[in-house]
mmCIF file of all heavy atoms in Angstrom:
data_model
loop_
_atom_site.group_PDB
_atom_site.id
_atom_site.type_symbol
_atom_site.label_atom_id
_atom_site.label_comp_id
_atom_site.label_asym_id
_atom_site.label_seq_id
_atom_site.Cartn_x
_atom_site.Cartn_y
_atom_site.Cartn_z
ATOM 1 N N SER A 213 -66.767 -53.728 231.744
ATOM 2 C CA SER A 213 -68.004 -54.496 231.890
ATOM 3 C C SER A 213 -68.016 -55.595 230.841
ATOM 4 O O SER A 213 -67.327 -55.515 229.820
ATOM 5 C CB SER A 213 -69.239 -53.598 231.735
ATOM 6 O OG SER A 213 -69.259 -52.998 230.451
ATOM 7 N N VAL A 214 -68.818 -56.623 231.094
ATOM 8 C CA VAL A 214 -68.958 -57.752 230.184
ATOM 9 C C VAL A 214 -70.307 -57.642 229.481
ATOM 10 O O VAL A 214 -71.344 -57.489 230.136
ATOM 11 C CB VAL A 214 -68.854 -59.094 230.934
ATOM 12 C CG1 VAL A 214 -69.078 -60.263 229.982
ATOM 13 C CG2 VAL A 214 -67.493 -59.221 231.598
ATOM 14 N N VAL A 215 -70.294 -57.706 228.157
ATOM 15 C CA VAL A 215 -71.511 -57.596 227.358
ATOM 16 C C VAL A 215 -71.647 -58.839 226.497
ATOM 17 O O VAL A 215 -70.670 -59.539 226.207
ATOM 18 C CB VAL A 215 -71.489 -56.334 226.466
ATOM 19 C CG1 VAL A 215 -71.406 -55.080 227.314
ATOM 20 C CG2 VAL A 215 -70.334 -56.386 225.479
ATOM 21 N N MET A 216 -72.878 -59.104 226.088
ATOM 22 C CA MET A 216 -73.175 -60.217 225.197
ATOM 23 C C MET A 216 -73.375 -59.700 223.782
ATOM 24 O O MET A 216 -73.860 -58.589 223.577
ATOM 25 C CB MET A 216 -74.434 -60.954 225.683
ATOM 26 C CG MET A 216 -74.270 -61.640 227.021
ATOM 27 S SD MET A 216 -75.848 -62.105 227.798
ATOM 28 C CE MET A 216 -76.685 -62.908 226.443
ATOM 29 N N ASP A 217 -73.012 -60.526 222.804
ATOM 30 C CA ASP A 217 -73.149 -60.182 221.390
ATOM 31 C C ASP A 217 -72.516 -58.822 221.101
ATOM 32 O O ASP A 217 -73.196 -57.874 220.701
ATOM 33 C CB ASP A 217 -74.617 -60.191 220.984
ATOM 34 C CG ASP A 217 -74.797 -60.081 219.472
ATOM 35 O OD1 ASP A 217 -73.821 -60.323 218.733
ATOM 36 O OD2 ASP A 217 -75.907 -59.737 219.031
ATOM 37 N N PRO A 218 -71.208 -58.682 221.291
ATOM 38 C CA PRO A 218 -70.568 -57.375 221.099
ATOM 39 C C PRO A 218 -70.421 -57.020 219.621
ATOM 40 O O PRO A 218 -70.205 -57.884 218.771
ATOM 41 C CB PRO A 218 -69.200 -57.560 221.755
ATOM 42 C CG PRO A 218 -68.910 -59.015 221.573
ATOM 43 C CD PRO A 218 -70.237 -59.728 221.668
ATOM 44 N N VAL A 219 -70.545 -55.737 219.332
ATOM 45 C CA VAL A 219 -70.260 -55.181 218.012
ATOM 46 C C VAL A 219 -69.120 -54.186 218.196
ATOM 47 O O VAL A 219 -69.272 -53.200 218.928
ATOM 48 C CB VAL A 219 -71.495 -54.495 217.403
ATOM 49 C CG1 VAL A 219 -71.154 -53.885 216.050
ATOM 50 C CG2 VAL A 219 -72.632 -55.488 217.258
ATOM 51 N N PRO A 220 -67.952 -54.415 217.602
ATOM 52 C CA PRO A 220 -66.800 -53.533 217.858
ATOM 53 C C PRO A 220 -67.066 -52.065 217.579
ATOM 54 O O PRO A 220 -66.513 -51.197 218.251
ATOM 55 C CB PRO A 220 -65.723 -54.099 216.919
ATOM 56 C CG PRO A 220 -66.094 -55.526 216.730
ATOM 57 C CD PRO A 220 -67.593 -55.558 216.744
ATOM 58 N N SER A 221 -67.922 -51.759 216.607
ATOM 59 C CA SER A 221 -68.182 -50.359 216.274
ATOM 60 C C SER A 221 -69.020 -49.658 217.332
ATOM 61 O O SER A 221 -69.143 -48.433 217.303
ATOM 62 C CB SER A 221 -68.893 -50.271 214.923
ATOM 63 O OG SER A 221 -70.121 -50.962 214.949
ATOM 64 N N GLU A 222 -69.600 -50.400 218.278
ATOM 65 C CA GLU A 222 -70.430 -49.802 219.321
ATOM 66 C C GLU A 222 -69.676 -49.585 220.623
ATOM 67 O O GLU A 222 -70.244 -49.029 221.566
ATOM 68 C CB GLU A 222 -71.645 -50.691 219.597
ATOM 69 C CG GLU A 222 -72.619 -50.797 218.446
ATOM 70 C CD GLU A 222 -73.799 -51.687 218.765
ATOM 71 O OE1 GLU A 222 -73.722 -52.444 219.753
ATOM 72 O OE2 GLU A 222 -74.794 -51.628 218.033
ATOM 73 N N HIS A 223 -68.422 -50.014 220.692
ATOM 74 C CA HIS A 223 -67.663 -49.916 221.935
ATOM 75 C C HIS A 223 -66.333 -49.222 221.663
ATOM 76 O O HIS A 223 -65.751 -49.350 220.579
ATOM 77 C CB HIS A 223 -67.418 -51.303 222.531
ATOM 78 C CG HIS A 223 -68.679 -52.084 222.780
ATOM 79 N ND1 HIS A 223 -69.524 -51.820 223.834
ATOM 80 C CD2 HIS A 223 -69.246 -53.107 222.094
ATOM 81 C CE1 HIS A 223 -70.548 -52.653 223.797
ATOM 82 N NE2 HIS A 223 -70.403 -53.444 222.746
ATOM 83 N N GLY A 224 -65.867 -48.516 222.680
ATOM 84 C CA GLY A 224 -64.605 -47.814 222.527
ATOM 85 C C GLY A 224 -63.421 -48.752 222.427
ATOM 86 O O GLY A 224 -62.548 -48.583 221.578
ATOM 87 N N LYS A 225 -63.383 -49.774 223.282
ATOM 88 C CA LYS A 225 -62.260 -50.703 223.287
ATOM 89 C C LYS A 225 -62.730 -52.044 223.815
ATOM 90 O O LYS A 225 -63.479 -52.108 224.791
ATOM 91 C CB LYS A 225 -61.116 -50.167 224.158
ATOM 92 C CG LYS A 225 -59.860 -51.023 224.134
ATOM 93 C CD LYS A 225 -58.761 -50.408 224.970
ATOM 94 C CE LYS A 225 -57.491 -51.244 224.921
ATOM 95 N NZ LYS A 225 -56.414 -50.665 225.767
ATOM 96 N N ILE A 226 -62.288 -53.100 223.173
ATOM 97 C CA ILE A 226 -62.586 -54.465 223.608
ATOM 98 C C ILE A 226 -61.294 -55.086 224.118
ATOM 99 O O ILE A 226 -60.301 -55.163 223.385
ATOM 100 C CB ILE A 226 -63.185 -55.301 222.464
ATOM 101 C CG1 ILE A 226 -64.519 -54.703 222.007
ATOM 102 C CG2 ILE A 226 -63.391 -56.744 222.907
ATOM 103 C CD1 ILE A 226 -65.186 -55.477 220.887
ATOM 104 N N MET A 227 -61.314 -55.523 225.363
ATOM 105 C CA MET A 227 -60.129 -56.107 225.977
ATOM 106 C C MET A 227 -60.006 -57.600 225.684
ATOM 107 O O MET A 227 -58.911 -58.104 225.448
ATOM 108 C CB MET A 227 -60.168 -55.889 227.492
ATOM 109 C CG MET A 227 -60.207 -54.431 227.911
ATOM 110 S SD MET A 227 -58.703 -53.547 227.460
ATOM 111 C CE MET A 227 -57.506 -54.424 228.459
ATOM 112 N N ALA A 228 -61.126 -58.313 225.715
ATOM 113 C CA ALA A 228 -61.107 -59.759 225.501
ATOM 114 C C ALA A 228 -62.487 -60.197 225.044
ATOM 115 O O ALA A 228 -63.489 -59.507 225.274
ATOM 116 C CB ALA A 228 -60.698 -60.503 226.773
ATOM 117 N N ALA A 229 -62.535 -61.342 224.391
ATOM 118 C CA ALA A 229 -63.793 -61.905 223.910
ATOM 119 C C ALA A 229 -63.742 -63.415 224.042
ATOM 120 O O ALA A 229 -62.664 -64.024 223.999
ATOM 121 C CB ALA A 229 -64.073 -61.504 222.463
ATOM 122 N N CYS A 230 -64.921 -64.006 224.196
ATOM 123 C CA CYS A 230 -65.033 -65.449 224.404
ATOM 124 C C CYS A 230 -66.196 -65.975 223.572
ATOM 125 O O CYS A 230 -67.296 -65.416 223.621
ATOM 126 C CB CYS A 230 -65.246 -65.755 225.884
ATOM 127 S SG CYS A 230 -65.516 -67.502 226.262
ATOM 128 N N CYS A 231 -65.954 -67.022 222.797
ATOM 129 C CA CYS A 231 -66.986 -67.677 221.997
ATOM 130 C C CYS A 231 -67.196 -69.085 222.547
ATOM 131 O O CYS A 231 -66.235 -69.850 222.684
ATOM 132 C CB CYS A 231 -66.592 -67.725 220.521
ATOM 133 S SG CYS A 231 -67.823 -68.514 219.460
ATOM 134 N N VAL A 232 -68.454 -69.410 222.843
ATOM 135 C CA VAL A 232 -68.795 -70.675 223.481
ATOM 136 C C VAL A 232 -69.776 -71.430 222.598
ATOM 137 O O VAL A 232 -70.750 -70.850 222.106
ATOM 138 C CB VAL A 232 -69.415 -70.448 224.879
ATOM 139 C CG1 VAL A 232 -69.791 -71.772 225.522
ATOM 140 C CG2 VAL A 232 -68.453 -69.684 225.771
ATOM 141 N N ALA A 233 -69.515 -72.717 222.379
ATOM 142 C CA ALA A 233 -70.475 -73.626 221.753
ATOM 143 C C ALA A 233 -71.036 -74.508 222.860
ATOM 144 O O ALA A 233 -70.284 -75.239 223.521
ATOM 145 C CB ALA A 233 -69.810 -74.470 220.671
ATOM 146 N N TYR A 234 -72.350 -74.449 223.047
ATOM 147 C CA TYR A 234 -72.955 -74.997 224.265
ATOM 148 C C TYR A 234 -74.135 -75.887 223.928
ATOM 149 O O TYR A 234 -74.927 -75.585 223.021
ATOM 150 C CB TYR A 234 -73.402 -73.837 225.155
ATOM 151 C CG TYR A 234 -74.023 -74.230 226.468
ATOM 152 C CD1 TYR A 234 -73.263 -74.798 227.480
ATOM 153 C CD2 TYR A 234 -75.376 -74.023 226.700
ATOM 154 C CE1 TYR A 234 -73.833 -75.147 228.690
ATOM 155 C CE2 TYR A 234 -75.956 -74.362 227.910
ATOM 156 C CZ TYR A 234 -75.179 -74.927 228.899
ATOM 157 O OH TYR A 234 -75.744 -75.272 230.094
ATOM 158 N N LEU A 235 -74.234 -77.012 224.663
ATOM 159 C CA LEU A 235 -75.378 -77.919 224.585
ATOM 160 C C LEU A 235 -76.259 -77.659 225.801
ATOM 161 O O LEU A 235 -75.894 -78.037 226.920
ATOM 162 C CB LEU A 235 -74.918 -79.378 224.564
ATOM 163 C CG LEU A 235 -73.995 -79.799 223.418
ATOM 164 C CD1 LEU A 235 -73.487 -81.215 223.643
ATOM 165 C CD2 LEU A 235 -74.709 -79.702 222.085
ATOM 166 N N PRO A 236 -77.409 -77.011 225.642
ATOM 167 C CA PRO A 236 -78.189 -76.597 226.821
ATOM 168 C C PRO A 236 -78.804 -77.754 227.599
ATOM 169 O O PRO A 236 -78.833 -77.726 228.830
ATOM 170 C CB PRO A 236 -79.270 -75.685 226.220
ATOM 171 C CG PRO A 236 -79.388 -76.111 224.804
ATOM 172 C CD PRO A 236 -78.028 -76.567 224.386
ATOM 173 N N THR A 237 -79.308 -78.773 226.908
ATOM 174 C CA THR A 237 -79.964 -79.876 227.610
ATOM 175 C C THR A 237 -78.965 -80.700 228.418
ATOM 176 O O THR A 237 -79.236 -81.082 229.561
ATOM 177 C CB THR A 237 -80.699 -80.771 226.607
ATOM 178 O OG1 THR A 237 -81.618 -79.973 225.843
ATOM 179 C CG2 THR A 237 -81.458 -81.874 227.324
ATOM 180 N N ARG A 238 -77.808 -80.954 227.856
ATOM 181 C CA ARG A 238 -76.785 -81.733 228.544
ATOM 182 C C ARG A 238 -75.884 -80.874 229.423
ATOM 183 O O ARG A 238 -75.064 -81.414 230.172
ATOM 184 C CB ARG A 238 -75.931 -82.481 227.518
ATOM 185 C CG ARG A 238 -76.710 -83.482 226.693
ATOM 186 C CD ARG A 238 -75.845 -84.062 225.585
ATOM 187 N NE ARG A 238 -74.721 -84.822 226.106
ATOM 188 C CZ ARG A 238 -74.751 -86.127 226.330
ATOM 189 N NH1 ARG A 238 -75.856 -86.810 226.097
ATOM 190 N NH2 ARG A 238 -73.688 -86.757 226.779
#
Side-chain angles (χ1 to χ4, degrees):
S213 61
V214 177
V215 299
M216 294 164 48
D217 190 17
V219 178
S221 60
E222 294 180 345
H223 303 284
K225 184 178 181 181
I226 298 181
M227 300 295 296
C230 176
C231 180
V232 179
Y234 181 70
L235 301 172
T237 304
R238 298 173 64 92

